[in-house]
Amino acid sequence: MVAKRVSIFGATGSIGQNTIDLIRRDRPGYNIVALSGGRNIAQLACDAIDLQADIAITAFEDLLEPLRVALTGTGIEAAAGQTALIEAASRPVDWVMSAIVGIAGLLPGLKALEQGATLALANKESLVCAGALLKETASKHNARILPVDSEHSAIFQALVGEDITEVERIIITASGGAFRDWPLERLKTATLAQASSHPNWDMGQRITIDSASMFNKALEVIETKEFFGVDPTQIEVLVHPQSLVHALVGFKDGALMSHLGAPDMRHAIGYALHWPQRKDLPVQRLDLGTAPALEFYAPDLERYPALRLSYEVMSKGGLSGAAFNGAKERVLDHFIAGRIGFLDMASLVETVLEQADAQTGLIETAMSLDNVMRTDHFARTEVDRIVSTSTTYK
Ligand code: NAD
Ligand code: MG
């Protein structure tokens, strides 16, 4: 068997570590080209050595020296910074895990597609900001994008052998995050520590907070439109506290196909890693006889304004997704820094979306990398300007 050449971007994060866990179980099947990380040099170096990667890259140039030291005598290249990341993403491989958090994952993903790799996409932000660009790049280079988000992997699996034109609706589920049962009044007081703990999934801090605010689900609604090309009116969200049903696909004959599984990202990662085959995965098998009762209910859009905004973003189209994501990433920075409250995040994003709309040529313009980055920059700068000039915030 020929070993699969693999690179993992965001290798030190939650998705990256789950990917490495699967690869380590079947070590001879893989040839690791590049691993990238951020500040956790010890983890990055340890995995690079263990997996005998060709190159390890940290996103931060000031950490090049510690990474070099950690890799001394191993023959593994050490590199740092954006240019090095792009160079590594341009090295030919068969499969790339895109698991950097935020828009920083966009360019490495595009580079991976340009060299024809299969892109396993956990980095939903890149699809939200630049869906058309990613898809165009994939088709131009005969590359493929596979979903890794659990809901989108579930939809993808429910669609095997089906015709997308026969799909009536797609339902993605949401656990409801840390504040599922909190009334609106109480949400105003939600702290960083409270928002950073998820009832069902063990994930990176940013996506965990985005789950509590439903910004994560908002991104996923847009991700559903981009991945499967359905109309926004066909996409529904249901709160499902048990996180066992990940998505459902409804067909025009009324049939509803659902995907169930334990809340373990190794399922979706493993499906993308082995696709189009299925292989044994170390995930818990569900025993529905003893599982808790499955509940579903419609989300309260007043408590979760992010969800309402995602439909506005889709109806505006253009580069609205880039403005939405850029503003969302920046308000999250401010919430984490303690400058704004939990509910301020959605109201600030809404304000910035209105401002972006009012700028000629910002949203309604051609989808190109430069334009995406310009819109992202505008949204971030506007968030910063409002937060620093308003007396409402600290
Ligand atoms: P994480 O915070 O645990 O890890 C993020 C990784 O990205 C780390 O390796 C970090 O070093 C790297 N990184 C951070 N900023 C960077 C930058 N500016 N440049 C280069 N690298 C940078 O995040 P995660 O939870 O693993 O999520 C990764 C992606 O997967 C996100 O897009 C998230 O939305 C998506 N996702 C995660 C889960 C999950 O279960 N964790 C589920 C579905 C989708
Ligand atoms: Mg998800």
Side-chain angles (χ1 to χ4, degrees), residues 134-344:
L134 277 168
K135 288 182 281 184
E136 262 169 44
T137 309
S139 85
K140 192 166 157 201
H141 297 275
N142 218 359
R144 186 176 278 277
I145 309 173
L146 295 175
V148 171
D149 220 341
S150 56
E151 298 76 4
H152 305 77
S153 175
I155 298 164
F156 188 63
Q157 294 180 50
L159 284 173
V160 171
E162 303 288 355
D163 184 341
I164 192 74
T165 62
E166 289 170 350
V167 170
E168 205 168 54
R169 59 187 178 142
I170 293 180
I171 303 168
I172 59 173
T173 60
S175 65
F179 306 138
R180 187 171 55 225
D181 305 315
W182 287 34
L184 188 59
E185 244 344 90
R186 193 173 168 208
L187 284 178
K188 283 186 192 151
T189 68
T191 65
L192 176 62
Q194 288 165 330
S196 301
S197 107
H198 197 284
N200 305 346
W201 294 91
D202 181 14
M203 310 184 285
Q205 187 192 34
R206 296 181 74 88
I207 184 175
T208 302
I209 302 170
D210 282 350
S211 297
S213 61
M214 287 254 196
F215 265 115
N216 180 49
K217 211 48 57 181
L219 296 181
E220 290 181 0
V221 166
I222 303 171
E223 186 186 6
T224 302
K225 172 180 171 282
E226 294 295 338
F227 249 122
F228 303 104
V230 290
D231 193 80
T233 56
Q234 294 175 282
I235 307 169
E236 299 169 27
V237 175
L238 276 180
V239 177
H240 166 50
Q242 293 74 31
S243 295
L244 297 178
V245 176
H246 303 305
L248 303 103
V249 178
F251 293 90
K252 65 182 183 189
D253 60 358
L256 206 47
M257 304 293 281
S258 74
H259 177 287
L260 286 83
D264 183 335
M265 285 309 293
R266 291 177 304 177
H267 180 87
I269 296 167
Y271 188 77
L273 184 61
H274 302 303
W275 183 88
Q277 293 171 312
R278 286 188 185 269
K279 291 213 174 143
D280 192 6
L281 292 175
V283 298
Q284 188 204 329
R285 271 49 175 171
L286 284 188
D287 176 359
L288 289 176
T290 58
L294 303 181
E295 302 164 282
F296 301 91
Y297 52 89
D300 174 354
L301 293 190
E302 231 191 298
R303 281 199 303 141
Y304 296 116
L307 218 43
R308 169 176 54 78
L309 291 178
S310 70
Y311 285 88
E312 289 175 17
V313 165
M314 289 188 293
S315 79
K316 276 181 209 136
L319 293 186
S320 201
F324 181 61
N325 181 70
K328 181 220 75 89
E329 287 198 36
R330 202 62 192 124
V331 294
L332 182 55
D333 293 339
H334 287 299
F335 176 69
I336 291 172
R339 286 185 212 108
I340 64 172
F342 185 75
L343 289 182
D344 295 330

Side-chain angles (χ1 to χ4, degrees), residues 3-8 19 23 29-35 53 92-97 273:
K4 196 173 198 162
R5 293 168 305 166
V6 165
S7 286
I8 304 171
T19 308
I23 284 177
Y30 301 96
N31 189 346
I32 308 300
V33 175
L35 293 184
V93 289
D94 303 303
W95 190 89
V96 170
M97 169 52 77
L273 184 61

